[in-house]
Amino acid sequence: MSERLTTAQTTDDRYYGQFGGQFIPETLMTELQAVAKAYHRYRQDPDFLHDLHTLLHDYANRPSLLYYAERMTKDLGGAKIYLKREDLNHTGAHKINNVIGQALIAKRMGKTRLIAETGAGQHGVATATIAALFGMDCEVYMGKLDTDRQRLNVYRMELLGAKVHPVTTGSMVLKDAVNAALQAWTQRVDDTFYVMGSAVGPYPFPQMVHDFQSVISRESKAQLQAVEHHLPDMVVACVGGGSNAIGSFAQYIDDPSVQLIGCEAAGKGVNTGQTAATIEKGTPGIFHGMKSLFLQNDDGQIDQVYSISAGLDYPGVGPEHAQLAALKRATYVGITDEEAVQAFEYIAKTEGIIAAIESCHALAYVMKVAPTMRPDQTIICTLSGRGDKDVAAIARYRGTDLHD
Amino acid sequence: MHAIGGLIYMTNLKAVFDQQKVFMPFIVADDPDVETTVKSIVTLAENGADVVELGLPFSDPVADGPVIQAADLRAFKAGVKTATVFEIVEQVRTQTAVPIVLLTYVNLVYKYGYDAFCQRCQQLDISGLVIPDLPLEENAELKAIATKHHVALVPLIAPTSGKRITKIAAQATGFIYVVSAMGVTGQREQFSKQLATTIAQIRAVTTVPVAIGFGIHSPQQAHELGQLADGIIIGSAIVKLMAAQPVDLQAQLANYAQSIKQALS
Ligand SMILES: Cc1ncc(COP(=O)(O)O)c(C=O)c1O
């Protein structure tokens, strides 16, 4: 597992600077503390670590490749571009890294039932997959709008034996799915573990997700060292709640020469009001169990946000990212729908990779920045997932009515 | 603190609970409009409510069930803002000194500014704040500020609180809100079997009054739970009445309040 969090600068483990905490109803506090206790115990337990590594290796197909995107590098004409291929993991995204970790903790806590929220459906699919593997029950909460735009993943989850609840409250997207999953957890804690899908929520979730996703940067650091014999100059990842980004950044946070770039969904544009660019446009607030940055109005009512990407369509961000932004250790940029779709098409044609629309937000930034860098510099861009799930939606965006 | 007929008046919640078994109805501010809310508070106060709990809607009320969520939506449709709830209490204060506590989510208080929010409460004699997403571990900052303004930060205790009960109760001010069942707000027939034990554990460490809420709707339930605690809170049942928007809403509220008050006495 990774070392202590370097961004957790207070003595209070639950906070990253002023961000983090456990702002959650009393009904869940006892359970949350039990989860924290179990997590701290098992993250040092050799048996647990053995099971974790075995599953990551034998089941999830780790380590994931660090692929030199030669055609893209040549075409863009600047820095050398490496892609960290989380899309090649079993179930097709980074989400499985975290789910395996949390589900192993759930199992050791004696839980028999997993619940989860999902946006794009990748976290739901990963949770349903591991529930099937472990013989556990699984229920997934997903905004009604997302069940429509990610129908393929809904069917996948059902195929894996999970029950999918379309959430019809609020804006019917990821934020509302988190609300529904939290409510469901409140109703039934005894046998149920809430597998949080991103580096968000109350402590210990952000720390746990950081830990389980840091495998991305532990691998990439060693892999790049082996071929280039140095650190990357820049690491780029997309940010919804921030799990693949924090996993991609983790091992480089203490290397100040490595620029860390998080790409948020700007939707129709950072200043259009139809955006999900939380760090650029958000203000401090307290929601979903954490103090962090949120898109909200002057009263503190949470905004309904927008992005073409169901996985980035979230009005908040993990507390560690809020702190990395405050410390200026990482930089966060907005990428519009159009830029992401162009990157989706570009990487398909240039590298023969159909990447998730979420990941294409990171790629779009690489397309802008690589030409401004020198050929002796390197970028690692995390391809957080594969894009099969997005093909129909992108076709629709381009005006072709394709039914999946 | 506020002035009624030239008198400076400030509610002491404990004294209210000492005088009677407390009936505390809950309604949502601006559901469906300011005028109805003001009228309803006055009606409830005149017909047996000892304290009124007023909800300031939040966009994402994770502790609330469908009935209260629907009321929140009606309020949002009416354009409810944080300022609206204070405007409502201001109007109420020209007609009644009924003790009022606010229920809302922490983000709204945080955004308004803890100090500004509590100061406004103090000016309007709002005697307590119930904030479901602010557990003991996170309440120190707001609690210090609230105390300075003589506003009680009312803690919640859940059926799952276990070992936490003693810790929470020992630091409680105002009253303690005992959540009668798991899950979210809404009517129920079944209550947690450990209610009596929970309340005994609370009594062992504090004299701060105890009110039970979540799911109570009938006078019979009010009577039974009233035996256990110092007061009861009724939310969804009253909000449901409001939702139906009958022409004789005020008469229905009055009847209902009287029936509960009677069952408690
Ligand atoms: C492929 C992919 N990438 C990224 C994300 C965004 O999540 P996070 O910011 O937690 O990595 C998602 C979420 O659904 C996803 O499916």
Side-chain angles (χ1 to χ4, degrees):
Chain A
M1 313 288 295
S2 70
E3 308 78 53
R4 276 292 310 134
L5 298 175
T6 43
T7 40
Q9 291 185 330
T10 56
T11 48
D12 188 342
D13 224 29
R14 302 172 310 136
Y15 275 86
Y16 305 87
Q18 65 153 317
F19 302 109
Q22 286 176 297
F23 297 86
I24 209 80
E26 172 58 24
T27 319
L28 288 175
M29 278 305 286
T30 299
E31 188 59 23
L32 210 53
Q33 289 176 335
V35 171
K37 205 171 145 199
Y39 158 64
H40 283 294
R41 174 175 161 203
Y42 291 120
R43 75 199 290 248
Q44 295 163 3
D45 174 62
D47 264 0
F48 175 87
L49 293 175
H50 174 263
D51 286 0
L52 177 67
H53 292 139
T54 305
L55 279 167
L56 287 176
H57 185 271
D58 297 353
Y59 189 72
N61 196 29
R62 297 211 74 88
S64 70
L65 296 176
L66 184 72
Y67 165 72
Y68 172 44
E70 194 172 352
R71 271 180 46 90
M72 202 173 151
T73 300
K74 291 209 168 111
D75 183 56
L76 294 172
K80 247 177 139 170
I81 300 160
Y82 283 86
L83 303 176
K84 182 61 176 158
R85 298 290 305 274
E86 295 299 304
D87 59 314
L88 298 178
N89 297 341
H90 181 42
T91 71
H94 67 292
K95 300 283 181 188
I96 192 93
N97 306 330
N98 167 49
V99 172
I100 289 175
Q102 288 195 47
L104 280 173
I105 289 175
K107 207 168 145 188
R108 278 169 167 73
M109 288 177 78
K111 306 291 183 185
T112 56
R113 187 169 169 266
L114 301 179
I115 59 170
E117 87 294 340
T118 197
Q122 290 303 114
H123 175 59
V125 167
T127 307
T129 298
I130 298 302
L133 181 69
F134 286 6
M136 293 166 115
D137 291 334
C138 181
E139 295 192 25
V140 178
Y141 295 83
M142 186 168 185
K144 173 76 171 52
L145 202 72
D146 293 340
T147 60
D148 293 340
R149 58 179 164 173
Q150 301 284 347
R151 254 178 304 177
L152 195 62
N153 274 342
V154 174
Y155 193 74
R156 249 185 217 137
M157 288 183 264
E158 287 167 353
L159 209 55
L160 292 159
K163 183 163 174 22
V164 180
H165 299 275
V167 177
T168 55
T169 51
S171 39
M172 306 190 204
V173 291
L174 182 55
K175 151 183 97 96
D176 312 285
V178 175
N179 292 346
L182 280 172
Q183 289 203 343
W185 201 25
T186 307
Q187 259 142 19
R188 187 167 162 188
V189 291
D190 290 354
D191 62 349
T192 301
F193 191 99
Y194 181 4
V195 184
M196 184 67 80
S198 191
V200 299
Y203 169 84
F205 287 114
Q207 200 185 107
M208 206 158 43
V209 175
H210 167 118
D211 251 0
F212 293 136
Q213 291 295 2
S214 336
V215 66
I216 300 173
S217 51
R218 270 203 310 283
E219 288 175 5
S220 75
K221 201 172 195 176
Q223 288 166 323
L224 194 75
Q225 188 63 38
V227 289
E228 297 282 349
H229 315 293
H230 58 67
L231 288 168
D233 293 281
M234 183 184 283
V235 175
V236 186
C238 66
V239 179
S243 71
N244 89 86
I246 205 66
S248 304
F249 294 171
Q251 292 297 307
Y252 303 107
I253 291 173
D254 291 336
D255 297 314
S257 70
V258 182
Q259 258 190 289
L260 306 176
I261 312 287
C263 300
E264 303 190 294
K268 302 208 165 137
V270 168
N271 295 317
T272 61
Q274 293 204 63
T275 181
T278 308
I279 294 184
E280 279 158 290
K281 284 280 146 188
T283 55
I286 302 170
F287 181 49
H288 280 165
M290 57 182 172
K291 186 179 277 187
S292 191
L293 296 171
F294 297 96
L295 293 164
Q296 54 185 331
N297 72 11
D298 292 344
D299 269 359
Q301 307 290 356
I302 304 300
D303 284 349
Q304 307 204 341
V305 296
Y306 167 81
S307 160
I308 190 172
S309 146
L312 305 183
D313 199 347
Y314 184 69
V317 68
E320 192 175 0
H321 286 293
Q323 175 68 351
L324 287 171
L327 295 173
K328 299 197 173 6
R329 175 62 193 96
T331 307
Y332 297 83
V333 297
I335 299 294
T336 63
D337 286 358
E338 179 57 30
E339 290 171 322
V341 170
Q342 280 176 16
F344 184 89
E345 293 164 343
Y346 176 79
I347 191 178
K349 296 206 165 69
T350 316
E351 290 289 348
I353 296 171
I354 295 180
I357 189 66
E358 289 79 15
S359 321
C360 290
H361 285 71
L363 278 171
Y365 183 74
V366 171
M367 288 166 65
K368 289 193 221 181
V369 77
T372 70
M373 293 166 71
R374 296 186 314 269
D376 64 326
Q377 292 184 297
T378 53
I379 300 173
I380 296 179
C381 175
T382 299
L383 272 200
S384 55
R386 67 176 181 222
D388 316 42
K389 68 180 178 59
D390 300 309
V391 171
I394 302 298
R396 277 194 297 275
Y397 180 88
R398 288 295 189 218
T400 306
D401 194 14
L402 193 76
H403 287 284
D404 53 342
Chain B
M1 223 178 313
H2 71 285
I4 290 177
L7 288 174
I8 297 293
Y9 179 86
M10 198 167 73
T11 303
N12 175 340
L13 280 171
K14 175 135 179 34
V16 178
F17 279 89
D18 282 346
Q19 281 156 26
Q20 66 246 307
K21 289 279 180 195
V22 162
F23 165 41
M24 194 183 313
F26 166 86
I27 61 174
V28 171
D30 215 0
D31 166 27
D33 52 47
V34 167
E35 192 194 333
T36 309
T37 309
V38 173
K39 254 198 219 160
S40 303
I41 293 172
V42 174
T43 301
L44 289 164
E46 285 171 351
N47 290 279
D50 304 299
V51 178
V52 172
E53 190 183 12
L54 186 59
L56 165 57
F58 179 49
S59 51
D60 298 80
V62 288
D64 286 299
V67 172
I68 291 173
Q69 287 197 21
D72 290 344
L73 287 182
R74 290 192 295 274
F76 281 122
K77 222 169 153 191
V80 68
K81 292 194 160 18
T82 302
T84 316
V85 80
F86 293 128
E87 183 191 315
I88 287 169
V89 179
E90 212 169 327
Q91 290 188 33
V92 167
R93 284 293 174 239
T94 64
Q95 301 175 64
T96 169
V98 67
I100 292 176
V101 298
L102 292 187
L103 182 140
T104 194
Y105 289 76
V106 65
N107 199 42
L108 300 189
V109 185
Y110 178 74
K111 269 285 152 186
Y112 200 91
Y114 287 163
D115 200 74
F117 196 96
C118 293
Q119 194 182 341
R120 200 76 187 99
C121 288
Q122 184 177 12
Q123 286 164 354
L124 294 166
D125 193 25
I126 291 168
S127 32
L129 293 177
V130 183
I131 303 180
D133 56 348
L134 192 68
L136 180 71
E137 281 73 3
E138 304 292 351
N139 78 5
E141 188 183 352
L142 178 57
K143 190 166 176 178
I145 293 168
T147 306
K148 188 180 87 186
H149 291 287
H150 306 284
V151 175
L153 188 56
V154 175
L156 290 100
I157 286 179
T160 46
S161 291
K163 291 193 190 114
R164 301 168 51 80
I165 294 175
T166 312
K167 245 199 311 196
I168 297 169
Q171 298 180 32
T173 52
F175 67 94
I176 294 168
Y177 191 139
V178 172
V179 176
S180 59
M182 291 300 283
V184 295
T185 52
Q187 292 187 13
R188 281 184 180 73
E189 301 311 322
Q190 290 279 321
F191 295 104
S192 157
K193 296 199 176 58
Q194 342 139 25
L195 268 181
T197 328
T198 301
I199 290 170
Q201 281 175 280
I202 296 172
R203 304 274 198 224
V205 294
T206 183
T207 57
V208 171
V210 175
I212 303 179
F214 267 44
I216 307 172
H217 55 102
S218 70
Q220 174 64 21
Q221 290 174 324
H223 176 76
E224 280 166 27
L225 295 173
Q227 308 283 309
L228 274 177
D230 306 305
I232 58 134
I233 301 160
I234 299 189
S236 297
I238 291 173
V239 172
K240 241 183 173 164
L241 262 181
M242 310 282 301
Q245 300 185 16
V247 276
D248 61 341
L249 174 67
Q250 298 306 321
Q252 287 197 31
L253 282 176
N255 280 338
Y256 184 75
Q258 285 170 19
S259 73
I260 297 293
K261 184 62 185 172
Q262 212 163 14
L264 272 178
S265 317

